[in-house]
């Protein structure tokens, strides 16, 4: 089964907890702290694999979680980092954040990687909190939680040439004749329900990939006839071969209808080079339609009379396609890779406060939420440290100015506090 769309949940591994420990050697008085740091959590990485063709692996498993970091131990032993989880995806996969629709990357080369969920930082052990004032700190951090998000994966086939045309025009027969692809072929519309990909080998290193895009119909740009599912696969091709059924009632109108749908879906598709394959020329009535076709479109488009069923005319058609491809440059990614890699520094408030209901407030902010998540509330020193940081950040003062009263509930991350 061909799958070109998937929605998955990914979560980086949580960081390991730091350790509170002290040296206990017999002849080392005032040994001091010896708690090791926790390891960092593993990340989720998408990697391009030229051997894959669909997103079917993500159909049966939606949730992926990387390994968490190992906790720190005494004797200053640090926990090791959690292993990254690498998920293989086919070339041509576009990755987006499902919530914000932010473009995260476009995987177009074998081995290309994108980190889509970072692992959490490991917590520091009490050795890190040693100071001249506090020589026996009982403070250690918990590991930070790993990044979690929903992703949308969209596959857009990487093909040099696409066969387009109305249903039952003969696209599947053509690709079966010129490549090793073996699509389902039958004499009725919508035989092909998934794109087929094949390699045309003309010898002496002259080869190219060709995709058979299932039949488009009027209204395809609005989703009619599964139009949205298939039109996206045309966005990377360099050349269109427009297959016309010369036994149809009006092949010229069929040609115009399909090109209208391409332009309505995306204007850039209407500008792709096209050559016309006038198919089913082994049928007597096709000759009259070919004459009309040449009168109407011959001055603008190259027309190749063919019969896919009898293999007539396919060699010159594929030869011409190969020469045109050699004259063109290679297709680039659907998205601007430089734009994806560009780092944009956004100046944001350290925290924001909103009142959810009477006597209930929520404090949001990456730094404060991470601090709360990494605080060990079973240790008094850790709690006091968090309180000092919150006062220094101005959170307590801001809450009072906004009208918070003693006894109100303050929500930060997954924790709820009583304001006093």
């Amino acid at each position: 089964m061909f799958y070109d769309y998937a929605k998955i949940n990914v979560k980086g591994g949580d960081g390991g907890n730091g350790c509170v420990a002290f040296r206990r050697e017999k002849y080392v008085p005032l040994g001091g702290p010896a708690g090791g740091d926790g390891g960092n959590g593993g990340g989720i990485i998408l990697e391009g694999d030229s051997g894959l063709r669909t997103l079917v692996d993500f159909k049966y498993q939606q949730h992926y979680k990387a390994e968490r970091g190992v906790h720190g131990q005494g004797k200053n032993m640090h926990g090791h980092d959690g292993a990254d989880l690498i998920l293989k995806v086919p070339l041509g996969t576009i990755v987006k954040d499902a919530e914000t629709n932010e473009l995260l990357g476009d995987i177009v080369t074998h081995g290309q990687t994108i980190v889509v969920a970072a692992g959490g930082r490991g917590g520091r052990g009490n050795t890190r909190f040693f100071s001249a004032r506090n020589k026996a700190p009982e403070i250690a951090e918990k590991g930070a939680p790993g990044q979690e998000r929903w992703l949308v994966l969209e596959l857009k086939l990487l093909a040099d040439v696409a066969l387009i045309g109305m249903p039952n025009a003969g696209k599947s027969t053509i690709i079966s004749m010129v490549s090793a692809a073996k699509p389902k072929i039958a004499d009725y519309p919508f035989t092909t329900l998934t794109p087929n990909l094949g390699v045309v080998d003309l010898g002496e290193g002259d080869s190219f990939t060709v995709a058979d895009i299932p039949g488009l119909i009027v209204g395809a740009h609005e989703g009619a006839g599964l139009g949205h599912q298939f039109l996206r696969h045309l966005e990377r091709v360099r050349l269109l071969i427009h297959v016309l059924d010369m036994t149809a009632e009006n092949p010229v109108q069929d040609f115009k209808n399909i090109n209208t749908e391409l332009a309505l879906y995306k204007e850039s598709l209407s500008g792709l080079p096209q050559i016309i394959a006038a198919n089913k020329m082994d049928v007597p009535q096709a000759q009259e339609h070919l004459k009309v076709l040449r009168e109407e479109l011959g001055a603008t488009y190259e027309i190749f009379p063919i019969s896919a069923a009898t293999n007539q005319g396919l060699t010159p058609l594929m030869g011409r396609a190969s020469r045109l491809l050699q004259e063109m440059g290679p297709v680039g990614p659907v998205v601007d890779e430089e734009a994806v890699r560009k780092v944009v520094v956004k100046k944001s408030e350290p925290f924001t406060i909103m009142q959810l209901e009477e006597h209930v407030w929520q404090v949001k902010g990456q730094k404060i939420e991470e601090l709360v998540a990494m605080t060990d509330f079973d240790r008094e020193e850790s709690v006091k440290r968090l309180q000092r940081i919150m006062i220094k950040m101005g959170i307590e003062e801001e809450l009072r100015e906004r009208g918070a009263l003693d006894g109100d509930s303050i929500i930060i991350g997954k924790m709820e506090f009583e304001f006093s």
Side-chain angles (χ1 to χ4, degrees), residues 44-246:
I44 304 276
I45 299 173
L46 298 186
E47 180 179 338
D49 187 337
S50 59
L52 298 178
R53 287 290 178 266
T54 79
L55 297 170
V56 65
D57 292 343
F58 303 103
K59 175 69 175 178
Y60 303 104
Q61 183 178 344
Q62 269 195 314
H63 295 267
Y64 298 87
K65 187 176 181 179
E67 187 177 74
R68 76 166 299 155
V70 174
H71 301 322
Q73 299 181 47
K75 299 184 180 179
N76 283 319
M77 290 192 291
H78 302 318
H80 66 72
D81 295 341
D84 293 332
L85 178 59
I86 299 177
L87 306 178
K88 306 276 187 156
V89 296
L91 304 188
T93 300
I94 286 181
V95 187
K96 295 179 181 178
D97 185 292
E99 184 177 350
T100 64
N101 207 35
E102 176 191 2
L103 184 63
L104 304 178
D106 182 13
I107 298 177
V108 295
T109 58
H110 182 76
Q112 180 185 346
T113 58
I114 298 174
V115 179
V116 292
R121 176 171 65 86
R124 292 176 292 177
N126 68 331
T127 304
R128 303 288 187 180
F129 297 94
F130 175 85
S131 68
R133 282 182 158 186
N134 189 357
K135 297 184 178 181
E138 294 196 14
I139 302 174
E141 294 175 326
K142 289 185 174 182
Q147 184 181 17
E148 182 175 10
R149 71 202 323 177
W150 281 90
L151 301 177
V152 168
L153 307 180
E154 280 187 16
L155 174 60
K156 299 183 179 182
L157 289 180
L158 289 171
D160 297 306
V161 177
L163 302 177
I164 62 171
M166 298 291 281
N168 206 32
K171 299 179 296 297
S172 296
T173 305
I174 292 175
I175 199 171
S176 71
M177 287 290 190
V178 300
S179 74
K182 300 299 176 189
K184 179 181 177 183
I185 299 172
D187 190 21
Y188 54 84
F190 297 108
T191 307
T192 306
L193 297 179
T194 62
N196 294 294
L197 194 64
V199 177
V200 177
D201 186 358
L202 300 178
E204 298 182 1
D206 186 3
S207 64
F208 58 89
T209 54
V210 58
D212 158 25
I213 306 300
L216 304 175
I217 61 174
V218 176
H221 73 283
E222 296 176 336
L226 303 178
H228 277 171
Q229 293 188 30
F230 302 140
L231 281 167
R232 75 163 71 102
H233 295 296
L234 296 175
E235 294 182 27
R236 298 182 190 266
V237 302
R238 294 187 284 161
L239 174 67
L240 300 178
I241 296 181
H242 201 135
V243 184
L244 294 178
D245 179 358
M246 300 308 290

